Amino acid sequence: QKEVEQNSGPLSVPEGAIASLNCTYSDRGSQSFFWYRQYSGKSPELIMSIYSNGDKEDGRFTAQLNKASQYVSLLIRDSQPSDSATYLCAVNDRGSTLGRLYFGRGTQLTVWP
Amino acid sequence: DVKVTQSSRYLVKRTGEKVFLECVQDMDHENMFWYRQDPGLGLRLIYFSYDVKMKEKGDIPEGYSVSREKKERFSLILESASTNQTSMYLCASLRAQVNEQFFGPGTRLTVL
């Protein structure tokens, strides 16, 4: 069983601040990394994918990947109350030909006005 | 945009009933997945499938089976529902070129 660990939170930040979400994974051969956002009572929504070391920016979101340290993070700049959700980190299973992902248990983020 | 639909948002069944949860995707994706999500336990994979040719057990297949007679439709079957199968059930479809999974809206199943 591959492990994906996230800081459990909850994480609480004021509006306008930077929220930092972290994830470590156990499978050194993983190649694909994802961040999902899940609002309460809703299904997970893919917000970021990253495949190579370094940073990837999309609007207010930046994903950072360090394969040597087996670490992936998500930064949310200028956090808004609408960013309040649970964020799931997911990592591909290198040994699966069927596209299996392993998910962390999520970090709950609250952005207060 | 990828569209994944699930047959019901909410479902209430009785213990011992046979339950069918249906999932349909419109992007001609080969790979589809069924998960359940419970508080504190995260997402757990029940079954996954490659086209109609292959089905594979995930981490918690006991008490479940699946059917995939057409590529676009993947069904999860609870052979004899039990109260411990009360959960949120999520279906996902895979865009294989980039390994991205897209989820349906989920079915919240309550077994009484």
Side-chain angles (χ1 to χ4, degrees):
Chain A
Q1 180 77 2
K2 313 289 172 46
E3 299 288 331
V4 178
E5 300 284 343
Q6 296 182 245
N7 40 347
S8 57
L11 177 65
S12 182
V13 301
E15 185 173 356
I18 296 175
S20 177
L21 304 162
N22 304 313
C23 174
T24 58
Y25 59 94
S26 64
D27 184 2
R28 186 169 289 279
S30 293
Q31 297 293 324
S32 307
F33 307 87
F34 308 93
W35 284 99
Y36 287 82
R37 177 177 61 200
Q38 187 173 23
Y39 293 114
S40 180
K42 303 293 186 182
S43 62
E45 173 194 8
L46 180 65
I47 56 171
M48 288 289 283
S49 308
I50 186 165
Y51 305 95
S52 23
N53 279 330
D55 295 0
K56 179 182 176 183
E57 190 173 312
D58 183 0
R60 296 186 295 110
F61 297 97
T62 299
Q64 299 174 316
L65 175 62
N66 183 328
K67 290 183 182 179
S69 301
Q70 295 175 241
Y71 175 89
V72 58
S73 65
L74 180 71
L75 300 178
I76 307 174
R77 291 184 303 282
D78 187 25
S79 295
Q80 301 296 309
S82 58
D83 296 324
S84 298
T86 297
Y87 289 81
L88 304 175
C89 172
V91 175
N92 81 301
D93 179 358
R94 178 186 54 162
S96 169
T97 57
L98 298 186
R100 176 175 182 158
L101 298 180
Y102 286 94
F103 286 83
R105 295 190 179 186
T107 300
Q108 186 177 340
L109 171 67
T110 299
V111 181
W112 44 275
Chain B
D1 279 355
V2 176
K3 185 151 188 197
V4 182
T5 58
Q6 294 184 232
S7 49
S8 306
R9 290 300 308 275
Y10 300 94
L11 207 53
V12 179
K13 295 291 181 182
R14 298 227 172 256
T15 302
E17 281 192 78
K18 191 168 186 175
V19 181
F20 293 85
L21 303 181
E22 305 241 306
C23 175
V24 178
Q25 50 91 7
D26 66 353
M27 290 300 295
D28 201 35
H29 288 169
E30 308 276 359
N31 306 62
M32 297 182 74
F33 305 79
W34 274 106
Y35 297 88
R36 63 177 284 178
Q37 188 175 34
D38 302 285
L41 297 178
L43 278 165
R44 292 182 291 168
L45 182 64
I46 306 171
Y47 265 97
F48 51 133
S49 169
Y50 175 76
D51 200 351
V52 299
K53 305 178 183 67
M54 190 191 305
K55 290 170 278 191
E56 195 162 318
K57 293 179 180 178
D59 298 323
I60 52 163
E62 297 79 17
Y64 303 95
S65 62
V66 289
S67 171
R68 192 148 179 216
E69 296 181 359
K70 293 185 178 180
K71 186 195 275 192
E72 66 270 20
R73 186 181 299 269
F74 191 32
S75 301
L76 181 70
I77 304 158
L78 285 66
E79 299 291 344
S80 177
S82 64
T83 55
N84 63 12
Q85 291 179 309
T86 291
S87 187
M88 169 73 99
Y89 288 88
L90 292 158
C91 174
S93 174
L94 179 79
R95 181 185 287 160
Q97 301 90 328
V98 288
N99 229 12
E100 293 174 342
Q101 287 190 23
F102 297 90
F103 286 86
T107 295
R108 186 165 293 282
L109 172 69
T110 301
V111 182
L112 302 175

